Amino acid sequence: MAGLYETLKRCLQEERLVAVATVLAGPAPVGAKMLVYPDGRTEGSLGHPRLDAAVVRDAVRSQRRQESLRRSYPAALVAGDAARGDGADSAESVEVFVEVFAPSPHLIAFGGDHVAIPLTHYAKELGFRVTIVDARSRFANRERFPEADEIIVAWPDKALAQLQVDSSTYIAILSHDPKLDEPATRGALQTGARYIGAIGSRKTHADRRERLRREGFTDEQIARIHGPIGLDLGGQTPAEIALSIIAEIVATRYGRTLVRAEEDDANAAPATGTLRDVEVAGD
């Protein structure tokens, strides 16, 4: 148990997403704990393999939503286990609490261009950690980004290899340079990031989707990209565009999305829209 607490402490210090499942009551070892990572790896056990497997599924889903969970599990999951000593079934259920420890939301901006400057400021105001990634040192430096938590001067693939990316991560691809944007997009799609947005016109995004299909990405994977990035607020300046991006990120964080009027009614005016609840990708 001491080892589990040390691992949890290290995850919290490193701002890594993790969950701890605890048996509260029922025909299972009360107080037993199991650490569950977003990818389903575990440390410790609740005392019964079938119970562990059921709880892991729910704990992974809870981490995607970043919501803790209390749930009753059928006693059949532990019935007949030698560890109980009686081999008998029981009508009693097993109560388990899954506590999700979510790190601060993390914005990774690929491209230190003009839009990234106000976007960093907005994100910091909202409690995000911010990482700027750009292979061009003139765009990725402290003079441009004094508020950023981390600045990485590297190509996207090299940067992603050293970054922790999970469902607390929001990726904005901003450079307008295909040499940076395309590898950043390909790399982002292979992560568990909660949000991926890519700058560019509708035509640019359509061309991007077609290239990704040719490279073997599925329509489901490609649909994860918010493009053109940001809510359509009609803004033109870097600060206005950044505002539209952070608004879309916040909407995604809280399970909301902009449904444009034309998606509900082909004859409706295209300038209006509403926010609606949506399922988190992967649920």
Side-chain angles (χ1 to χ4, degrees), residues 17-278:
L17 182 64
V18 71
V20 176
T22 305
V23 176
L24 302 179
V30 174
K33 294 182 181 293
M34 177 173 65
L35 207 68
V36 183
Y37 296 100
D39 62 2
R41 291 179 298 115
T42 64
E43 291 187 32
S45 172
L46 302 182
H48 307 274
R50 287 184 296 173
L51 177 62
D52 285 351
V55 172
V56 166
R57 286 193 294 271
D58 287 336
V60 169
R61 187 176 298 112
S62 292
Q63 287 178 82
R64 292 195 193 109
R65 294 179 175 272
Q66 298 189 13
E67 296 176 352
S68 296
L69 167 76
R70 178 169 179 164
R71 181 173 173 183
S72 297
Y73 293 86
L77 291 175
V78 301
D81 196 299
R84 291 182 58 206
D86 57 9
D89 290 349
S90 170
E92 187 179 4
S93 61
V94 181
E95 292 286 329
V96 176
F97 179 58
V98 176
E99 185 171 10
V100 175
F101 295 88
S104 303
H106 183 196
L107 171 65
I108 303 175
F110 286 96
D113 296 69
H114 296 311
V115 170
I117 296 172
L119 180 61
T120 296
H121 177 70
Y122 296 152
K124 292 301 296 180
E125 285 290 315
L126 293 171
F128 283 69
R129 292 182 295 126
V130 178
T131 297
I132 303 295
V133 177
D134 202 311
R136 305 163 297 180
S137 59
R138 69 182 184 277
F139 287 104
N141 56 68
R142 279 291 161 200
E143 288 184 11
R144 286 177 68 82
F145 297 100
E147 294 182 279
D149 295 277
E150 185 177 16
I151 297 173
I152 300 175
V153 181
W155 292 98
D157 57 339
K158 300 294 185 183
L160 283 168
Q162 60 186 283
L163 288 166
Q164 176 73 28
V165 178
D166 54 33
S167 60
S168 297
T169 307
Y170 302 78
I171 294 176
I173 300 166
L174 305 171
S175 80
H176 283 293
D177 184 342
K179 295 192 301 295
L180 293 171
D181 286 357
E182 291 185 14
T185 303
R186 289 194 295 269
L189 287 175
Q190 297 175 65
T191 72
R194 193 179 187 89
Y195 171 92
I196 302 168
I199 205 163
S201 67
R202 294 185 187 280
K203 183 180 185 305
T204 297
H205 186 56
D207 292 343
R208 178 188 297 123
R209 292 169 63 91
E210 187 55 38
R211 281 196 303 273
L212 290 168
R213 285 193 189 96
R214 290 199 299 267
E215 292 172 12
F217 288 91
T218 66
D219 287 342
E220 183 179 6
Q221 289 175 305
I222 296 169
R224 294 179 62 200
I225 305 169
H226 294 255
I229 194 171
L231 301 183
D232 186 3
L233 305 181
Q236 301 294 322
T237 69
E240 290 169 340
I241 295 168
L243 177 62
S244 76
I245 295 170
I246 200 66
E248 186 171 59
I249 286 172
V250 170
T252 301
R253 183 183 182 191
Y254 293 108
R256 308 281 282 177
T257 190
L258 184 69
V259 179
R260 301 189 189 283
E262 63 266 28
E263 294 175 353
D264 287 339
D265 182 350
N267 298 316
T272 61
T274 57
L275 284 173
R276 294 184 177 175
D277 292 315
V278 293

